[in-house]
């Protein structure tokens, strides 16, 4: 029984851009265990989105080996929930129909998923917007809708690219707690999550380990285990230890001592 | 009540200008002494419009059928060809040069050939209109189906959706605004094609009425025919605009390309 869901071994990625080759990732080695919550932080352009695409099998890496559930990734992987950095909603569909899209694309009967879709919309505070079109929603609401879409089929693996980037601070706090619940923090059957964020406190609050990346080319600068107790509550976030960890990561990320 | 009032106020500048031009025109003819066979007065044009000697409704009907036929043929052929081009690279490479060639032909010059092949009647006039109008539909369909946010296509791949499903659920709706904006051009081309066909050879239709006035020097009738042509054209255009609003309500506020 292989308990490593994601195995990255010396993964490198070079884009062939019009202006010449761009080395987006270099020498990325990381193993993610089943049920682990990994947060990925790093400056913009360090290849976080690229890494998620590679794990999802949407782009092939140019070097190294990528395995998901023990199998080499050569095409888009199955049973994954993906939240793109932009909400990527179909602008001609209502929010409800956007959330139901995965069922349709996977050849399932969308009517059987309506109830679940409504439940997710309720969870994210969007139930009153089910029949609105994306352009009638704020950026933050669109992001939440795209989160609902990723969760519709209850996938065991979630790849999330700055899913809460456009949310205001209060909604963001709510969504953090909601995501921990969805992840299965207080259950034995946890999902595996790879979570990109710009917010260090958010990464510390959510994750089991925080992967700190550096730019040009994107490398792993440090992997920081987060030894805060679970379940994570607002009280946990306010502890001195949480602040200490955030500061450590901040210094690693900026190269500054404070 | 209020709404219709506001509607009237919004159109006041247009209506005022129209009335001023009409009066100026009438004065130029009746006071300025322009001869009626050069420029008929609005009054005589109006008389010609209601003239019982010319069976207007029959001519309008013929031209309208040609226009609608040309429009439908161009739309169906254009969407079909555009879809083929977007579906497969090989089909695209095979087809494109022919389509570009057909499009560069001066269609008006080809019109007489259609009449030789098919004889007088409604069909050749429809086909001329369709030939003028189909190309933008081909191009916009192909562009709408292929110019699509990469993330949207990745979305399909994440759920291992088959190619046809991505086509039906993502690419085709994405192409609607593109196709509809091409159809607005096609609506105008269909009118041109129908009239050109009638010019070349026909015994019915508004284009025929205009050609017939050349010998009778009845310019007022030609103006009346022009009035009907633009009315039919406006209605066609209006139908497409309405369709756009119904089919792509999400693309309002100028999102249509
Ligand atoms: N499709 C692409 N073609 C060329 N270069 C790209 C492409 N996508 C990303 N890049 C480049 O790769 C680097 C990493 O990008 P990205 O993965 O989006 O970083 P991040 O998500 O961390 O901001 C950047 O320098 C970016 O310009
Ligand atoms: Mg990114």
């Amino acid at each position: 029984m292989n308990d490593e869901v994601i195995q990255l071994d010396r993964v490198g990625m070079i884009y062939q851009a019009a202006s010449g080759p761009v080395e987006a990732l270099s020498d990325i080695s990381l193993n993610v265990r089943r049920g682990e919550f990994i947060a990925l932080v790093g400056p913009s352009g360090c290849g976080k989105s690229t890494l998620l695409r590679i794990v999802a099998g949407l782009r092939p890496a140019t070097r190294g080996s990528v395995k998901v559930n023990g199998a080499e990734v050569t095409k888009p992987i199955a049973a994954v929930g993906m939240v793109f950095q932009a909400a990527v909603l179909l602008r001609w569909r209502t929010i409800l129909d956007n959330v139901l899209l995965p069922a349709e694309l996977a050849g399932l009967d969308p009517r059987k998923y309506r109830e679940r879709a409504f439940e997710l919309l309720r969870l994210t505070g969007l139930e009153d917007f089910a029949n609105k079109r994306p352009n009638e929603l704020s950026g933050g609401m669109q992001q939440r809708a795209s989160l609902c879409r990723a969760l519709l089929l209850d996938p065991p693996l979630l790849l999330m690219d700055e899913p809460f980037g456009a949310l205001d601070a209060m909604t963001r706090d709510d969504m953090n707690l909601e995501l921990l619940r969805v992840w299965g923090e207080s259950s034995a059957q946890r999902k595996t999550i790879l979570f990109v964020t710009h917010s260090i406190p958010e990464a510390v609050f959510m994750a089991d380990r925080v992967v700190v990346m550096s730019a040009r080319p994107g490398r792993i600068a440090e992997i920081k285990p987060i030894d805060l107790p679970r379940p994570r509550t607002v009280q946990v976030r306010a502890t001195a230890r949480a602040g200490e960890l955030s500061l450590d990561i901040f210094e690693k990320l900026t190269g500054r001592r404070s | 009540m209020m709404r219709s009032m506001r509607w009237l106020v919004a159109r006041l500048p247009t209506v005022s200008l129209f009335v001023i031009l009409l009066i100026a025109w009438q004065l130029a003819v009746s006071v300025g002494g322009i001869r009626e066979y050069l420029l008929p007065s609005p009054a005589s044009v109006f008389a010609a419009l209601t003239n019982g000697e010319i069976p207007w409704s029959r001519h309008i009907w013929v031209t309208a059928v040609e226009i609608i036929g040309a429009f439908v043929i161009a739309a169906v052929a254009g969407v079909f060809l555009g879809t083929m081009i977007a579906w497969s690279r090989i089909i695209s490479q095979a087809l494109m040069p022919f389509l570009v060639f057909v499009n560069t032909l001066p269609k008006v010059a080809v019109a007489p050939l259609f009449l030789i092949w098919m004889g007088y009647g409604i069909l050749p006039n429809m086909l001329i209109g369709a030939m003028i109008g189909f190309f933008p539909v081909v191009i916009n369909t192909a562009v709408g189906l292929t110019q699509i946010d990469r993330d949207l296509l990745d979305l399909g791949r994440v759920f291992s959706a088959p190619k046809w499903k991505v086509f039906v659920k993502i690419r085709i709706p994405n192409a609607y605004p593109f196709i509809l904006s091409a159809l607005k051009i096609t609506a105008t081309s269909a009118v041109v094609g129908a009239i050109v066909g009638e010019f070349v050879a026909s015994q019915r239709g508004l284009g025929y009425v205009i050609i017939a006035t050349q010998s009778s020097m009845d310019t007022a009738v030609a103006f009346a025919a022009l009035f009907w042509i633009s009315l039919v054209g406006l209605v066609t255009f209006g139908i497409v605009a309405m369709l756009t609003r119904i089919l792509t309500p999400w693309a309002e506020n100028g999102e249509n390309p």
Side-chain angles (χ1 to χ4, degrees), chain A residues 48-49 85 161-162:
Chain A
K48 304 179 296 293
S49 299
Q85 189 166 351
D161 199 347
E162 301 187 33

Side-chain angles (χ1 to χ4, degrees), chain A residues 29-40:
Chain A
S29 294
L30 175 71
N31 284 356
V32 181
R33 286 184 296 279
R34 189 171 315 284
E36 216 179 357
F37 196 128
I38 300 286
L40 221 56

Side-chain angles (χ1 to χ4, degrees), chain A residues 27-30 38-43 200 203-204 209-215 218-226 241 244-255 257:
Chain A
D27 207 26
I28 302 282
S29 294
L30 175 71
I38 300 286
L40 221 56
V41 295
I200 296 170
V204 168
R209 289 189 288 159
V210 176
V211 176
V212 183
M213 292 179 66
S214 61
R219 294 174 191 277
I220 294 181
E222 188 181 20
I223 299 179
K224 188 96 187 161
I226 305 298
R241 180 66 191 144
E244 221 173 280
L245 287 163
S246 291
L247 205 59
D248 272 5
I249 292 170
F250 176 78
E251 282 169 358
K252 190 79 209 170
L253 206 54
T254 57
R257 296 237 68 94

Side-chain angles (χ1 to χ4, degrees), chain A residues 53 57-59 76-78 80 82 84 86 88-93 101-102 104-107 133 135 149 153, chain B residues 149-152 154-162 165-166 169-171 173-174 177-178 249-251 253 255:
Chain A
R53 284 176 185 283
L58 293 173
R59 297 281 172 282
I77 60 175
V80 65
M82 182 113 187
F84 292 88
V88 207
L89 300 170
L90 303 181
R91 61 195 188 287
W92 52 88
R93 285 185 170 228
L101 183 74
E104 286 178 43
L105 289 180
R133 290 230 165 68
N135 62 1
R149 181 179 61 193
L153 301 181
Chain B
D149 192 346
R150 194 191 60 180
D151 283 348
L152 284 182
D154 280 345
L155 199 63
R157 297 173 64 211
V158 165
F159 298 107
S160 358
K165 212 168 228 178
V166 171
K169 303 224 179 252
I170 299 178
R171 287 187 191 265
N174 185 71
F178 292 82
W250 74 86
N253 318 324
E255 208 205 298

Side-chain angles (χ1 to χ4, degrees), chain B residues 70-71 74 124-134 186 189-194:
Chain B
F71 179 81
N125 296 351
M126 278 183 188
L127 288 180
I128 293 163
M131 196 170 67
I132 299 179
F134 87 106
T186 305
S189 312
V191 177
V192 175

Side-chain angles (χ1 to χ4, degrees), chain A residues 89-98 128-138 141-142 145, chain B residues 245-252:
Chain A
L89 300 170
L90 303 181
R91 61 195 188 287
W92 52 88
R93 285 185 170 228
T94 63
I95 294 303
L96 178 63
D97 286 342
N98 265 290
D128 294 338
F129 297 86
N131 295 315
K132 297 250 188 287
R133 290 230 165 68
N135 62 1
E136 297 172 85
L137 271 64
S138 72
M141 292 163 120
Q142 294 185 19
Chain B
R245 247 169 298 144
I246 293 169
L247 283 176
T248 61
W250 74 86
E252 227 141 270

